[in-house]
Amino acid sequence: MTRKPWDLDFTAVPTEVAALRRILRLHLGIWGLQDVVDDAQLCMSELVSNVITHVGPGTPATLAVSMSGVRLRIEVHDPDTRALPTLLDANVDAEGGRGMALVDAVAACWGVQLRLDRKVTWCELATGLASPNRHMEGPGVRRAEALLECYAGAKPLLRPGPGKLGRAVAEESMITVITDFLHWLRAHGCDVDEALDRAQARCDAELGSRGDGV
């Protein structure tokens, strides 16, 4: 499985955090990294909240997610190179500092990179993968691969060359399939967020009942 880096521009306001959490969960599910979804959402939320609090609401920012070896790397870019995140000894009564303290407690490592036009606050999470391209097997994965083969036939532009689907094409195809299903749910009056939550819960339950490893 090739986990292609992706990024998303957003405006740093509190109402964006929930949407970013859903998008991150969806991508990590496609990547087969369900076990780190909760920690990833927590760290991403804290990095975004740090921009809102210390740079200011309405700041244009970018979320970038990639693999760093077998670790998941989450970056939040913002244009202010002066407001640097600081790890404080935050106790239960402290007004500030708890955000980065949470990131420090959950992540394998974190830091800040200063570039000419922006600041990059990043963290990396352990995934338990034995190698960067390993993925979880199981009936759900096999059904998804069969669905992609059928879908590629119905979508000529997404169809790969001879042989199995190329990994990059497979990822784009899967995102397209999910997007089409979400359009179908919305067109039939279904609650898309509820459907995503139910699908994620069912996936987590199935993985937990099998005790799958990576």
Side-chain angles (χ1 to χ4, degrees):
M1 173 182 290
T2 299
R3 298 175 173 91
K4 184 179 179 181
W6 59 274
D7 58 71
L8 178 66
D9 294 333
F10 66 96
T11 301
V13 292
T15 53
E16 285 286 277
V17 176
L20 291 172
R21 288 172 63 89
R22 289 195 295 270
I23 293 169
L24 181 61
R25 180 185 65 190
L26 180 61
H27 275 275
L28 294 185
I30 293 171
W31 281 4
L33 298 179
Q34 291 87 350
D35 289 348
V36 299
V37 166
D38 290 344
D39 287 347
Q41 288 181 320
L42 171 63
C43 289
M44 183 275 297
S45 298
E46 295 301 337
L47 295 183
V48 173
S49 296
N50 197 69
V51 175
I52 297 171
T53 301
H54 298 290
V55 182
T59 299
T62 301
L63 170 66
V65 181
S66 61
M67 294 299 296
S68 177
V70 296
R71 290 178 175 175
L72 175 69
R73 184 179 178 92
I74 299 172
E75 300 177 355
V76 172
H77 302 220
D78 72 76
D80 194 332
T81 58
R82 299 167 300 171
L84 302 182
T86 303
L87 178 62
L88 303 178
D89 183 14
N91 56 48
V92 293
D93 297 321
E95 291 296 325
R98 280 188 284 182
M100 295 313 298
L102 285 173
V103 173
D104 186 67
V106 171
C109 56
W110 69 275
V112 182
Q113 295 177 337
L114 294 180
R115 301 180 182 174
L116 291 178
D117 59 344
R118 64 189 184 277
K119 170 174 85 262
V120 180
T121 308
W122 60 270
C123 68
E124 293 184 358
L125 300 172
T127 63
L129 292 172
S131 65
N133 295 327
R134 285 287 299 275
H135 67 282
M136 303 177 70
E137 295 288 353
V141 173
R142 290 191 290 272
R143 287 195 298 269
E145 290 175 347
L147 176 61
L148 285 175
E149 292 286 354
C150 295
Y151 205 79
K155 293 277 189 177
L157 292 178
L158 296 179
R159 191 166 188 167
K164 294 183 177 180
L165 285 171
R167 289 175 176 171
V169 175
E171 183 174 337
E172 290 303 317
S173 297
M174 179 59 78
I175 292 173
T176 301
V177 171
I178 293 171
T179 302
D180 285 351
F181 284 162
L182 294 180
H183 282 307
W184 185 93
L185 288 167
R186 191 181 300 277
H188 287 77
C190 301
D191 187 322
V192 172
D193 290 338
E194 180 184 358
L196 287 172
D197 289 339
R198 289 171 58 193
Q200 184 66 49
R202 184 176 300 178
C203 179
D204 291 343
E206 290 176 356
L207 294 176
S209 66
R210 292 200 308 265
D212 285 351
V214 291

